[in-house]
Amino acid sequence: MKKIITIMTLTLLTFFSLHNTANAYSYGDPNEEKIAEAYKKMVVQLDKNPPNFTETEKIYDTVKEEIDQHMGPEPSKLIKENLEKEEKEELIENMQKILALNIDRRLSGVDKNFEDYETSKRLLAKGHATYQALSPVIAEKDPEMDKQIKAEFDKALEALGNPGLFGVGKKAADKEAFKQSKKIIIDDLQKEFQTQNFELGHFNVDQEEESTASEKTEWTDLSNIKNWLPLIVIIAIIAGVVIYVIRKRR
């Protein structure tokens, strides 16, 4: 019986270790960065023949408030001017600059909240989601730069470490490694899109931290029944094994 209990304990520990490690090193559901999603929809409208500037403006207006809040009024002034003059290429380029600044904003948020694993991972995931929208643009011009940025995002994710579950799968965070990856990503984006450093003063940091920390990733939301299913299945299997062994001994 002791042997069975030992096997079951090891099975549970292995499960939690693998489950937690897989989650720690995957981007999960970043809940889609709204600005990046708006950019992709705008490009679809602008690629029509003729470009649909009316719908493009409607899409931009869904994220204008967020952009104004975090980046100041200048970006929107440029976008609105491009829309009025129906400057397709300039509009797309300015939106790409906004995305580059947004990545800088997200990574700066990670830097500031590095000790808070859940918040840092959420912000990094949003930055990564934003880069996915820019990746095709960079890959077309400089494939090596695109590969490098993607690799640095992966390194940045590993640098966050892993808080583990009940001490299982714990891995120490490495802030210096994160900063190195952040610098490479931001330097490359500034080189490609001719942007300056994102100024943290352009948005309310405390509000950003509060709203981000209150969000739950799909895999950490314990109110979601599906996140309990693996544990329930394992408990059922263990219970079945115990009952089988007891009956067999009788």
Side-chain angles (χ1 to χ4, degrees), residues 4-5 34 37 59 78 88 92 103 108 137 195 207 210 215-216 222 231 241:
I4 293 174
I5 293 175
K34 291 180 180 178
E37 293 303 309
I59 295 169
L78 287 174
K88 173 183 173 179
I92 292 175
I103 292 173
S108 294
V137 178
T195 56
Q207 179 178 345
E210 181 180 353
E215 293 175 347
K216 295 179 180 179
L222 297 181
L231 182 58
V241 171

Side-chain angles (χ1 to χ4, degrees), residues 152-178:
E152 293 304 325
F153 264 110
D154 289 338
K155 290 179 184 178
L157 182 61
E158 287 189 27
L160 296 185
N162 185 345
L165 184 64
F166 304 124
V168 178
K170 185 174 181 179
K171 184 176 183 291
D174 188 340
K175 191 169 185 178
E176 287 306 312
F178 169 78

Side-chain angles (χ1 to χ4, degrees), residues 43-60:
V43 171
V44 170
Q45 295 298 324
L46 292 170
D47 279 343
K48 291 183 177 180
N49 190 15
N52 191 332
F53 287 97
T54 300
E55 286 301 316
T56 300
E57 184 169 16
K58 288 180 182 178
I59 295 169
Y60 181 78

Side-chain angles (χ1 to χ4, degrees), residues 51-117:
N52 191 332
F53 287 97
T54 300
E55 286 301 316
T56 300
E57 184 169 16
K58 288 180 182 178
I59 295 169
Y60 181 78
D61 285 341
T62 64
V63 292
K64 180 181 180 300
E65 183 178 354
E66 180 177 351
I67 292 172
D68 290 349
Q69 178 186 359
H70 300 315
M71 302 180 191
E74 290 304 316
S76 287
K77 286 181 181 179
L78 287 174
I79 296 298
K80 290 295 184 178
E81 184 178 329
N82 296 150
L83 286 164
E84 289 174 8
K85 296 181 179 179
E86 298 191 347
E87 299 170 331
K88 173 183 173 179
E89 298 304 323
E90 290 84 350
L91 175 55
I92 292 175
E93 289 175 6
N94 283 327
M95 280 301 299
Q96 290 169 352
K97 288 182 179 181
I98 288 175
L99 293 189
L101 285 172
N102 201 45
I103 292 173
D104 194 338
R105 175 171 76 98
R106 294 306 191 184
L107 296 188
S108 294
V110 175
D111 207 347
K112 181 175 177 60
N113 298 279
F114 196 77
E115 304 304 321
D116 184 340
Y117 176 76

